[in-house]
Amino acid sequence: MKIEIWSDIMCPFCYIGKRQLETALAEFPNDEFEIEWKSFQLDPTIEAQTDKDVYTFLAERKGISVEQSIEMHKGVVEHAKSVGLDYHFDKAIVSNSLSAHRIIQLAKTKNIADEMEEIFFKAYFTEGRDLNDPETLIELGVKAGLNAEDVRETVENEKLYISDVHTDLIQAQNMGIQGVPFFVFDRKYAISGAQPVEAFVNTIKEVQK
């Protein structure tokens, strides 16, 4: 079964959805699943702001206090914790995810996109790594199993893999995808959002009928 996942590194529900799907897949140990990660940008206009954490950025964008922003995020932090993820929005550095998406496209050519997604998610939401920084992107790419020079070339040449990113974005647009995560199962069924594990299990069973 092929599962396509439209996702953005900066999307907290995408990391949670990844965990929910993984838990569901563990209930089908004898089945084969092909996971394909697809690029999606929640906000392609975001500029790198290394001096701002997510709480401050969203407070300014929404015209609210930092305290109100923290309160708004409490539910997300708890949701993440319920699936074993440790979110630190106070450390998360606001980034434009385009470079990360191009590196994920590179990772797809090496069949390690899932590893790359996991490392980027953890780096952003848990470790507070700066995904605007070229050296950090190279370090994380190597950690996933990519060649350092390949990652460096991708980071420095903005044309590399950009067409692959755009192809994914156009597919999302054509399919009416307006938010992520968005999971498509064998192009038959879809799940929008970080749904409970049962939703993924039931959908997989439906596709298998």
Side-chain angles (χ1 to χ4, degrees):
M1 182 183 302
K2 184 172 184 177
I3 304 174
E4 297 164 282
I5 310 169
W6 274 265
S7 167
D8 193 358
I9 291 301
M10 313 304 165
C11 163
F13 295 103
C14 291
Y15 198 9
I16 294 169
K18 182 177 187 292
R19 278 293 179 277
Q20 302 284 58
L21 174 65
E22 288 166 349
T23 302
L25 295 182
E27 297 194 23
F28 302 88
N30 299 318
D31 295 288
E32 290 188 11
F33 297 94
E34 177 191 350
I35 307 295
E36 182 178 357
W37 288 92
K38 301 278 194 176
S39 298
F40 191 96
Q41 282 195 288
L42 288 170
D43 186 353
T45 68
I46 285 180
E47 295 182 4
Q49 300 181 54
T50 55
D51 60 334
K52 287 180 188 172
D53 61 41
V54 168
Y55 288 140
T56 305
F57 173 76
L58 286 176
E60 291 178 359
R61 173 165 281 201
K62 292 181 178 293
I64 59 176
S65 69
V66 174
E67 290 71 26
Q68 286 173 307
S69 179
I70 291 171
E71 190 65 31
M72 282 175 58
H73 283 84
K74 275 187 178 179
V76 182
V77 173
E78 289 302 314
H79 193 177
K81 191 175 292 184
S82 73
V83 298
L85 300 175
D86 192 17
Y87 280 10
H88 294 283
F89 289 114
D90 57 324
K91 294 197 300 184
I93 298 170
V94 177
S95 310
N96 186 299
S97 58
L98 185 58
S99 290
H101 279 302
R102 292 193 298 107
I103 293 170
I104 291 166
Q105 294 290 346
L106 166 64
K108 283 169 72 170
T109 69
K110 310 295 182 183
N111 295 316
I112 52 173
D114 199 70
E115 291 86 343
M116 194 72 263
E117 289 276 352
E118 180 69 28
I119 287 169
F120 276 150
F121 276 135
K122 186 176 181 181
Y124 185 73
F125 288 108
T126 302
E127 300 169 344
R129 302 298 301 275
D130 183 4
L131 299 188
N132 308 292
D133 177 56
E135 294 304 319
T136 298
L137 291 171
I138 293 165
E139 175 198 331
L140 296 174
V142 170
K143 186 177 180 181
L146 293 171
N147 177 276
E149 288 309 310
D150 288 344
V151 184
R152 184 178 298 280
E153 184 183 12
T154 301
V155 171
E156 293 176 352
N157 184 349
E158 295 181 357
K159 292 182 179 179
L160 284 179
Y161 301 103
I162 192 68
S163 63
D164 299 286
V165 173
H166 287 161
T167 296
D168 288 350
L169 297 177
I170 291 167
Q171 282 185 342
Q173 190 175 27
N174 291 341
M175 294 172 72
I177 299 172
Q178 297 180 324
V180 287
F182 196 89
F183 305 82
V184 178
F185 299 77
D186 273 350
R187 291 290 173 110
K188 295 178 180 177
Y189 290 88
I191 289 179
S192 179
Q195 298 294 328
V197 172
E198 294 74 21
F200 289 101
V201 170
N202 292 337
T203 300
I204 290 169
K205 288 179 178 177
E206 281 297 316
V207 177
Q208 288 177 333
K209 286 183 179 177

